[in-house]
């Protein structure tokens, strides 16, 4: 019989392959793999036993078939061993004439119906027998009443199946799937809805996150109904209990009792179940990921610690939203079904996670703090000029007097004016949809600001003026946002800086409450500002608020003649700051900031130099218009030079090849011949040269990832992304078979290796770096061999 029973609640550990489930009754010490493997070994041993031994085992669970109305439903030995027999000792001979302790009929009378049964059928029944024994142990050791009842029902079902020699069939009012669309389909819809506009490499990362999340749910141990009632007393208890019972019967227990049909949780349950587990599951997964970050493999660390939390935050919004289209059965119907089509998506949030930085030890006199609202234009508390207030057409930009319009090239001014009139005409250029794949990261935030949904205020504490109640409330709200989003920072430390009069905070207000902000300290005498904290509350990180916050901060500093930002960014914040124009190339002289900001251990110093001529809050709109101008100019030029040439007929007349430059119209497109290399005409000389180059490449220290074809088990989904795989082993085989008749074939295969690697792996990965270094080495060897021009 099974060794243990019961259900472990909560989250298993995160590893390279995702979650490892706990078996019913495993107590969290062994996990699913160990529990199911142990049962599988027992079944294999029993199925390999002699036929009489199998009959004895089945007789225990078979009713008596002797003449008369014997009601005995299982043979019981009159002389049972005091302890279970050891497996390493020879088993005693089975005697079919041994009488039953209950009805006195022989063992043979209990198994007469099995005389002509095939070995395959007998082995199937023996598998059910071991599942019955396992569930029997679970029933007796389980303390939760609801779980115990389910175990007992399954125990009776399997017991009945043995007596009737039938297949276990769960009797329920509903059969799987219980809700449509399923969790799996909903997540797939979510990926299409939010990320279908991304490049293939980034989309592959999202797909990997989606698979990881589905894997978590498939092996997640649901809390019992009684535990849930204690935690969420006002929840739909009856609905959760029904799903819990279904989950036990169709997903959990069948992992270990394989005589029962098993389904994946994500394929038979839908939005109702995922809503009941998402909040707890997300919290436990992220907490455990933080605790075990040092144990994660390097290639999974960024994925789990950086991308996975952002993915869960975005998915959480769709799980609990009442109007999310991803849970509609007609999601793929597109516009015909009245839903948003797949190809329209919401832009990826710019803020991956909260950021935190070091304080500034040297104090200077605090400048006046202000409160501004460019959207609603509310009266500022202390600051006369609102941040981000739109410049009037007649108001020149800073340094604009030094710039004069000029025409580049031979484009006439009349054409420029004509195109500009088209671009500025709202009827001629429709507004880009907020869900467009080409919309800027801050476009949604900019529209909300114009409609008055959000406001931006620069605020700070003051020791010289009477406290303003609203500002103090906003400061408390900022302290809460920073504390929640920066769990590793002490709350006392955050509070001290937020309320320090030397620091200011650009706060983001929505519906009267703070949802984000950037805390900074200005050093006017040194010509820079230090950014201290930057965060947006987790459930609002999907609308470009992070980018729009930084743009407002830039315009605020341009008005105060401070044109440099400095900040210490941790590893999770570097990506965000790069998108906002920061770099590791610091423009501020070191003598200006040393002693004003202190070094932060483990963080990277980044800086941003502001251009006073750029209206940053409208920068993406300006770029959009510039793109439209270029597009219109290209279209006009194409209309002038467009010409259709007849197709080539020379190949029908037997010509094998022609020079590219002889194709009519090819030079008019701007094509230029590339540098030519030396083509070795002697096949043996070409073979020898290519063999030498390939040996050098294979011996390079960065060639190890490309030596053999990629295994599916090591890179799931690789062959769905990479359509034309290539590796050095395959190239060696091709070279040996004299496949490479020209240098171009050889170089194309080698280049395919590097291209595939860069398409599948992220730029920060070790594989990506190996591909770059090996590619550089390869072309060095090709040039040395004279196959291409140096």
């Amino acid at each position: 019989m099974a060794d243990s029973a019961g259900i472990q609640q909560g989250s298993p550990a995160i590893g390279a392959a995702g979650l490892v489930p706990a078996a019913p009754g495993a107590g969290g010490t062994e996990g699913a793999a160990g529990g199911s493997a142990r049962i599988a070994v027992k079944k294999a041993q029993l199925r390999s036993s002699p036929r009489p031994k199998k009959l004895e085992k089945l007789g225990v669970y078979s009713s008596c078939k002797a003449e008369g109305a014997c009601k005995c439903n299982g043979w019981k030995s009159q002389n049972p061993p005091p302890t279970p027999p050891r497996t390493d000792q020879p088993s005693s001979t089975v005697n079919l004439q041994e009488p039953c302790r209950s009805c006195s009929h022989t063992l043979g009378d209990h198994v007469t119906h099995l005389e002509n049964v095939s070995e395959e059928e007998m082995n199937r029944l023996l598998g059910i027998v071991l599942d019955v024994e396992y569930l029997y142990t679970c029933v007796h050791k389980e303390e939760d009443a609801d779980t115990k009842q389910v175990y007992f029902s399954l125990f009776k079902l399997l017991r009945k199946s043995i007596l009737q020699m039938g297949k276990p069939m769960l009797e329920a009012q509903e059969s799987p799937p219980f809700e449509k669309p399923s969790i799996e389909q909903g997540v797939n819809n979510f990926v299409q809805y939010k990320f279908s506009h991304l490049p293939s490499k980034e989309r592959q990362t999202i797909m990997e996150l989606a698979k990881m999340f589905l894997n978590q749910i498939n092996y997640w141990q649901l809390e019992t109904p009684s535990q849930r009632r204690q935690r969420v007393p006002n929840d739909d208890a009856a609905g959760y209990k029904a799903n819990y019972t279904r989950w036990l019967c169709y997903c959990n227990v069948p992992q270990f009792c394989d005589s029962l049909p098993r389904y994946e949780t994500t394929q038979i349950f839908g939005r109702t179940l995922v809503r009941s587990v998402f909040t707890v599951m997300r919290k436990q997964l992220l907490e455990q990921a933080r605790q075990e970050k040092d144990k994660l493999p390097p290639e999974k660390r960024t994925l789990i610690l950086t991308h996975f939390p952002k993915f869960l935050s975005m998915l959480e919004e769709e799980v609990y939203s009442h109007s999310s289209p991803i849970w509609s059965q007609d999601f793929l119907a597109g516009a015909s079904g009245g839903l948003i089509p797949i190809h329209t998506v919401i832009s990826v949030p710019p803020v991956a996670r909260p950021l935190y930085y070091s304080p500034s030890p040297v104090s200077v006199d605090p400048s006046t703090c202000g409160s501004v609202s460019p959207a609603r234009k509310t009266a500022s508390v202390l600051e006369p000029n609102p941040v981000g207030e739109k410049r009037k057409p007649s108001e020149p930009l800073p340094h604009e007097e030094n710039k004069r319009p000029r025409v580049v090239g031979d484009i006439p001014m009349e054409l420029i004016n004509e195109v500009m009139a088209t671009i500025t005409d709202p009827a001629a250029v429709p507004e880009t949809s907020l869900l467009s794949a080409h919309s800027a990261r801050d476009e949604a935030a900019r529209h909300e600001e114009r409609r008055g949904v959000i406001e931006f205020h620069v605020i700070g504490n003051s020791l010289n003026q009477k406290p303003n109640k609203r500002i103090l409330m906003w400061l408390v709200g900022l302290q809460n946002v920073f504390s929640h989003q920066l769990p590793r920072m002490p709350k006392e430390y955050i509070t001290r800086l937020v309320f320090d009069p030397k620091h200011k905070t650009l706060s983001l207000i929505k519906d009267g409450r703070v949802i984000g902000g950037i805390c900074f300290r200005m050093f006017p005498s040194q010509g820079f500002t230090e950014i201290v904290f930057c965060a947006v509350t987790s459930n609002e990180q999907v609308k470009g608020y992070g980018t729009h916050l930084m743009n407002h901060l830039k315009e605020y500093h341009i008005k105060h003649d401070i044109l440099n930002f400095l900040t210490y960014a941790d590893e999770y914040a570097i990506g965000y700051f790069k998108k906002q124009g920061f770099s590791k190339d610091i423009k501020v002289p070191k003598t200006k900031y040393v002693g004003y900001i202190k070094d932060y251990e483990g963080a990277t110093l980044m800086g941003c130099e502001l251009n006073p001529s750029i209206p940053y809050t409208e920068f993406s709109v300006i770029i959009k218009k510039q793109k439209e101008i270029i597009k219109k100019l290209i279209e006009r030029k194409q209309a002038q030079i467009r010409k259709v040439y007849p197709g080539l007929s020379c190949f029908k007349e037997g010509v094998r090849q022609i020079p590219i430059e002889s194709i009519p119209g090819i030079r008019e497109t701007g094509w230029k011949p590339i540098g030519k290399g030396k083509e070795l005409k002697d096949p043996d000389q070409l073979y020898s040269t290519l063999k030498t180059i390939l040996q050098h490449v294979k011996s390079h220290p960065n060639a190890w990832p490309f030596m053999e074809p990629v295994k599916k088990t090591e890179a799931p989904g690789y062959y769905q992304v990479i359509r034309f795989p290539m590796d050095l082993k395959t190239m060696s085989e091709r070279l040996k078979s004299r496949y490479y008749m020209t240098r171009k074939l050889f170089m194309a295969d080698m280049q395919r290796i590097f291209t595939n690697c860069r398409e599948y792996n992220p730029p920060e990965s070790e594989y990506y770096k190996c591909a770059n270094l090996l590619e550089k080495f390869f072309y060095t060897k090709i040039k040395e061999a004279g196959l291409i021009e140096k």
Side-chain angles (χ1 to χ4, degrees):
M1 287 191 180
D3 306 316
S4 55
I7 289 279
Q8 181 199 5
Q9 306 299 331
S11 143
I14 296 180
L19 291 177
V20 180
T29 59
E30 186 171 17
S36 57
R38 189 179 67 249
I39 298 172
V41 169
K42 288 186 178 182
K43 289 182 178 180
Q45 291 174 346
L46 187 57
R47 287 165 179 163
S48 62
S49 302
R51 189 176 180 89
K53 193 69 178 176
K54 294 180 180 180
L55 290 173
E56 179 186 16
K57 190 73 173 176
L58 288 171
V60 175
Y61 295 91
S62 301
S63 58
C64 184
K65 308 298 188 298
E67 295 181 2
C70 184
K71 297 182 180 180
C72 180
N73 62 358
W75 180 82
K76 298 178 180 60
S77 174
Q78 291 187 337
N79 301 300
T83 57
R86 290 175 57 182
T87 57
D88 58 348
Q89 292 184 351
S91 58
S92 58
T93 304
V94 176
N95 181 10
L96 294 178
Q97 299 303 317
E98 185 177 348
C100 174
R101 189 173 68 217
S102 298
C103 66
S104 300
H105 294 117
T106 64
L107 171 61
D109 290 330
H110 285 76
V111 295
T112 53
H113 62 296
L114 299 173
E115 291 178 358
N116 299 320
V117 169
S118 65
E119 284 294 315
E120 182 181 0
E121 175 64 12
M122 189 170 289
N123 287 339
R124 184 186 72 85
L125 294 172
L126 287 169
I128 301 177
V129 166
L130 284 185
D131 287 345
V132 165
E133 294 178 349
Y134 179 75
L135 285 171
Y136 179 81
T137 305
C138 290
V139 168
H140 283 272
K141 290 191 175 182
E142 180 59 49
E143 296 180 357
D144 179 73
D146 297 308
T147 310
K148 182 191 287 284
Q149 184 178 0
V150 175
Y151 288 163
F152 187 64
S153 298
L154 294 175
F155 167 80
K156 291 193 296 182
L157 172 67
L158 295 182
R159 185 80 169 79
K160 182 179 178 182
S161 299
I162 300 172
L163 288 171
Q164 299 178 352
M165 297 180 61
K167 292 185 177 180
M169 296 295 292
L170 292 168
E171 298 178 1
Q173 295 179 352
E174 295 181 70
S175 57
F178 302 112
E179 191 174 0
K180 292 183 180 180
S182 65
I183 298 173
E184 182 178 284
Q185 186 59 55
V187 172
N188 284 330
N189 293 346
F190 167 72
V191 172
Q192 290 286 344
Y193 177 45
K194 294 283 191 181
F195 307 104
S196 62
H197 67 295
L198 295 179
S200 59
K201 184 166 59 178
E202 296 180 26
R203 193 164 59 248
Q204 178 62 29
T205 301
I206 298 298
M207 291 169 61
E208 188 173 348
L209 293 172
K211 291 177 183 177
M212 186 187 301
F213 173 75
L214 293 173
N215 189 53
Q216 315 289 2
I217 294 185
N218 280 331
Y219 292 108
W220 191 259
Q221 299 296 309
L222 299 187
E223 57 186 342
T224 64
S226 59
Q227 290 174 330
R228 184 170 180 78
R229 280 194 298 271
Q230 294 177 1
R231 189 174 62 83
V232 191
N234 298 325
D235 194 41
D236 179 15
Y240 181 81
K241 183 177 180 180
N243 274 340
Y244 178 76
T245 301
R246 293 165 178 166
W247 172 77
L248 280 177
C249 294
Y250 291 98
C251 305
N252 183 259
V253 174
Q255 290 185 73
F256 317 98
C257 299
D258 58 9
S259 53
L260 291 168
R262 181 177 181 269
Y263 298 85
E264 296 286 1
T265 304
T266 55
Q267 292 178 351
I268 65 173
F269 292 99
R271 187 182 191 179
T272 304
L273 181 73
V274 77
R275 273 185 166 184
S276 64
V277 303
F278 192 94
T279 304
V280 174
M281 177 178 163
R282 176 178 179 269
K283 180 180 179 181
Q284 293 190 24
L285 286 178
L286 297 184
E287 178 63 28
Q288 198 146 11
R290 285 192 292 266
Q291 292 177 357
E292 301 184 3
K293 62 179 182 179
D294 296 332
K295 300 178 183 178
L296 295 173
E299 65 274 11
K300 292 283 184 181
R301 194 167 296 158
T302 301
L303 189 71
I304 292 176
L305 296 179
T306 303
H307 301 309
F308 197 44
K310 180 170 65 174
F311 178 88
L312 291 179
S313 295
M314 296 181 69
L315 180 57
E316 183 176 28
E317 183 173 342
E318 302 303 320
V319 167
Y320 293 106
S321 171
H322 295 287
S323 58
S324 174
I326 72 171
W327 300 106
S328 170
Q329 296 188 47
D330 301 323
F331 177 81
L332 298 181
S336 61
L339 297 172
I340 299 174
I342 298 176
H343 62 272
T344 57
V345 293
I346 292 177
S347 58
V348 180
V351 183
R353 62 163 286 149
L355 321 170
Y356 61 94
Y357 309 93
S358 59
S360 305
V362 179
S363 62
V364 297
D365 293 335
S367 57
T368 308
C369 61
S371 171
V372 298
S373 175
R376 297 183 180 176
K377 293 183 171 61
T378 55
S380 62
V381 178
L382 296 172
E383 184 67 43
N385 297 322
V387 176
E389 187 174 4
K390 307 300 178 290
R391 296 183 177 92
K392 298 178 182 179
S394 59
E395 179 185 353
L397 295 173
H399 311 294
E400 192 176 59
E401 63 277 6
N402 298 327
K403 298 189 175 184
R404 296 287 182 268
R406 58 194 180 95
V407 179
V408 181
D410 58 352
I411 303 176
M413 181 59 69
E414 293 77 16
L415 178 59
I416 294 290
N417 292 334
E418 185 180 347
V419 171
M420 286 296 295
T422 305
I423 296 302
T424 55
D425 182 5
V429 182
E431 182 70 15
T432 304
S433 169
L434 292 181
L435 300 180
S436 168
H438 302 289
S439 62
R441 286 193 299 269
D442 62 333
E443 190 161 341
R446 188 167 52 249
H447 278 260
E448 288 191 6
E449 183 183 2
R450 288 173 181 170
R451 299 198 313 268
V453 177
I454 59 175
E455 303 173 9
F456 294 87
H457 300 267
V458 175
I459 62 175
N461 196 12
S462 174
L463 301 180
N464 302 322
Q465 298 183 11
K466 185 178 179 180
N468 182 290
K469 183 177 181 181
R470 184 175 62 166
I471 290 181
L472 291 178
M473 290 298 294
W474 283 345
L475 288 173
V476 172
L478 286 164
Q479 188 268 349
N480 288 333
V481 170
F482 291 143
S483 298
H484 181 73
Q485 297 298 114
L486 312 175
R488 290 186 290 179
M489 301 295 291
K491 289 186 178 181
E492 297 81 2
Y493 175 73
I494 293 174
T495 304
R496 177 161 57 87
L497 293 187
V498 170
F499 285 87
D500 179 12
K502 299 182 181 67
H503 290 75
K504 296 181 182 181
T505 304
L506 173 61
S507 56
L508 171 57
I509 311 298
K510 184 175 183 179
D511 297 329
R513 62 184 180 87
V514 175
I515 63 169
I518 300 178
C519 183
F520 59 94
R521 181 175 180 181
M522 303 170 74
F523 294 91
S525 62
Q526 307 304 114
F528 75 93
T529 283
E530 179 193 17
I531 295 177
V532 183
F533 302 127
C534 175
V536 175
T537 187
S538 58
N539 61 346
E540 297 284 359
Q541 291 182 4
V542 292
K543 299 175 182 177
Y545 291 154
T547 297
H548 208 41
L549 261 172
M550 188 61 70
N551 287 338
H552 271 296
L553 190 67
K554 290 175 180 177
E555 291 203 344
Y556 178 86
H557 280 78
I558 288 174
K559 291 185 176 183
H560 287 79
D561 296 324
I562 297 179
L563 303 181
N564 283 284
F565 288 160
L566 289 178
T567 187
Y568 274 96
D570 66 11
E571 56 182 319
Y572 306 112
I574 291 176
Y576 165 74
F577 278 109
K578 282 184 177 179
K579 292 178 182 178
Q580 309 310 321
F582 286 71
S583 73
K584 299 176 185 177
D585 182 17
I586 309 300
K587 302 295 184 181
V588 180
K590 196 171 183 179
T591 54
K592 289 284 187 179
Y593 64 84
V594 170
Y596 289 85
I597 58 175
K598 71 177 183 181
D599 295 340
Y600 185 81
E601 185 177 356
T604 303
L605 181 63
M606 301 185 73
C608 178
E609 186 177 18
L610 307 182
N611 186 330
S613 300
I614 297 177
Y616 284 93
T617 55
E618 298 295 326
F619 185 66
S620 59
V621 176
I622 295 172
I623 295 298
K624 174 184 168 184
K625 289 183 178 180
Q626 290 177 348
K627 289 181 178 179
E628 290 292 333
I629 293 172
I630 299 299
K631 181 181 176 181
K632 293 290 182 182
L633 291 173
I634 291 174
E635 289 175 355
R636 289 169 180 263
K637 187 68 174 177
Q638 285 179 338
Q640 296 172 6
I641 66 173
R642 184 176 292 119
K643 184 178 180 181
V644 178
Y645 292 88
L648 297 174
S649 59
C650 57
F651 298 111
K652 296 181 180 179
E653 300 169 2
V655 177
R656 296 293 299 275
Q657 64 180 21
I658 61 172
I660 295 178
E661 56 267 24
S662 67
I663 300 175
I666 191 71
R667 289 190 179 274
E668 285 83 343
T669 65
W671 176 87
K672 294 180 181 179
I674 60 174
K676 296 182 178 180
K678 177 183 177 184
E679 186 68 68
L680 301 178
K681 297 183 178 180
D682 183 357
D684 292 333
Q685 185 182 359
L686 177 64
Y687 173 83
S688 177
T689 302
L690 297 183
K691 183 179 180 181
T692 302
I693 294 173
L694 188 58
Q695 287 295 338
H696 282 300
V697 171
K698 292 169 69 175
S699 301
H700 195 272
N702 290 301
W704 60 269
F706 317 109
M707 297 300 290
E708 294 185 351
V710 175
K711 297 179 181 178
K712 292 182 179 180
T713 55
E714 296 177 352
Y718 182 85
Y719 291 98
Q720 279 75 41
V721 178
I722 303 302
R723 297 179 58 193
F724 304 103
M726 184 52 60
D727 60 278
L728 295 176
K729 181 180 179 182
T730 302
M731 288 190 65
S732 298
E733 294 170 354
R734 286 187 170 187
L735 181 65
K736 191 175 181 180
S737 64
R738 301 297 177 114
Y739 167 84
Y740 297 116
M741 301 299 294
T742 66
R743 63 183 173 90
K744 292 182 179 179
L745 284 174
F746 179 81
M747 293 173 64
D749 274 357
M750 186 67 75
Q751 187 61 51
R752 176 65 63 186
I753 294 177
F754 308 135
T755 303
N756 289 347
C757 178
R758 286 191 284 259
E759 182 175 354
Y760 183 80
N761 298 288
E764 65 271 18
S765 68
E766 188 175 2
Y767 304 109
Y768 197 103
K769 296 174 183 176
C770 286
N772 288 343
L773 294 172
L774 190 63
E775 181 183 37
K776 185 177 180 180
F777 175 80
F778 167 70
Y779 279 102
T780 300
K781 291 298 178 184
I782 285 287
K783 291 176 182 177
E784 289 177 358
L787 297 183
I788 60 174
E789 292 182 351
K790 296 184 179 180

